Amino acid sequence: MPTPFRYTEPLPPRAATGRVAEVYAQLSRDFGIDKPVTFVVLSSAPEILAPAWALMRESLIAGPGSRTGKELAALGVSLANRCPFCVDAHTMLLHATGDHALAERLAAGGRPENEEHARVLDWGERTRVPGGLRTGPYPFPREHAPGYLGTALAFHFINRIVSALLTENLLPGNAQRFRAVRSLGGRALARTVRRPARPGDALTLLDPVDPGEAPAWAGGTPVGIAYAALLRAAMAGAGLLDADDHDLVEQTVQDWDGTHPPLALSGFPDRRERPGARLALLAALAPYRITDEDVAAWRRPEHTDHCLVHLVAYGAFLAVDRVESALNRPIART
């Protein structure tokens, strides 16, 4: 049977126990999708799975701001990161919000007719470029910033995980490319998407250790705690690299300007000489370019699925951190 998983073999969701089972239960209740592969692929590393879900839930689902607006922000991020799986997913979720015409306009490659919607989509796309939001106001009210910023950063992480570790097909045979399937899928999720979610519920799934200081942009909301927890968990993957590879990866991402690498991947480490550094950098800057050969060059008997998830998460979050740290706060709309 075809599998959506490229390089890992997660346990069947029905076999989940402990924190993984708790995350799946909350996903089913609050996201409306039973055990989505975007999170199942992280299940071999529960310490990554839980905060990744928490950041998405507390921002996109339970955070301040309209669900349509935050779906547009997530879609813009996914377009900028060239993640067709997530682009298709958020188009379907726009159907779930009830914005059917908007969803189909975007599915056809168009732009929103509504000026506010267009600004939010554009804002999401521009978040890929560190410092790209230097000028101009946010396209949403000041009090909604934690929801929108958290959503954008969550999907900069999720896009990279998906592109690195899953196939591009949201549904078997790319069935989501048919309008009727998109519409029916959205309608099936409509009740859950439109139901209010209580902020903070996902925080009970996090490790009982202090994740560190929450970012100021989160405004004291649960979004900030979830972000800090994911940062702490993802950065643990640095331990899979030696000191020289660690320094190379972090300096390269720090110098990154948001562009997509050239086809020749000039400047990337050779997979035969520095396979771990290459994988981490690809996860950060071009996860859709990870090949079987890249993974095989790094894999050794001690490199389990747990290790691969951690290495990819480390690279992915370095890019997220670069985007977040370069946010020059615009004057928020009042």
Side-chain angles (χ1 to χ4, degrees), residues 52-106:
W53 158 244
L55 180 57
M56 191 188 83
R57 182 197 184 276
E58 298 303 330
S59 56
L60 176 69
I61 298 172
S66 82
R67 182 65 181 264
T68 292
K70 288 181 290 183
E71 289 292 347
L72 284 167
L75 178 59
V77 170
S78 302
L79 287 166
N81 288 329
R82 301 180 182 175
C83 181
F85 183 107
C86 293
V87 168
D88 289 343
H90 293 291
T91 303
M92 190 176 296
L93 284 163
L94 280 170
H95 272 291
T97 68
D99 291 286
H100 306 294
L102 173 61
E104 286 308 304
R105 186 175 182 83
L106 293 170

Side-chain angles (χ1 to χ4, degrees), residues 173 188 243 289 308:
R289 302 283 297 281
L308 181 59

Side-chain angles (χ1 to χ4, degrees), residues 34-154:
D34 195 35
K35 306 172 185 66
V37 294
T38 44
F39 290 99
V40 173
V41 75
L42 296 173
S43 61
S44 63
E47 62 278 15
I48 298 287
L49 168 65
W53 158 244
L55 180 57
M56 191 188 83
R57 182 197 184 276
E58 298 303 330
S59 56
L60 176 69
I61 298 172
S66 82
R67 182 65 181 264
T68 292
K70 288 181 290 183
E71 289 292 347
L72 284 167
L75 178 59
V77 170
S78 302
L79 287 166
N81 288 329
R82 301 180 182 175
C83 181
F85 183 107
C86 293
V87 168
D88 289 343
H90 293 291
T91 303
M92 190 176 296
L93 284 163
L94 280 170
H95 272 291
T97 68
D99 291 286
H100 306 294
L102 173 61
E104 286 308 304
R105 186 175 182 83
L106 293 170
R111 305 294 287 186
E113 292 182 322
N114 178 286
E115 184 179 346
E116 186 168 341
H117 287 166
R119 287 200 304 269
V120 171
L121 181 66
D122 177 68
W123 176 87
E125 291 183 274
R126 288 190 295 118
T127 61
R128 177 176 167 92
V129 178
L133 301 178
R134 178 173 292 118
T135 59
Y138 288 136
F140 42 77
R142 181 194 308 268
E143 62 272 18
H144 295 168
Y148 279 90
L149 289 168
T151 294
L153 295 168

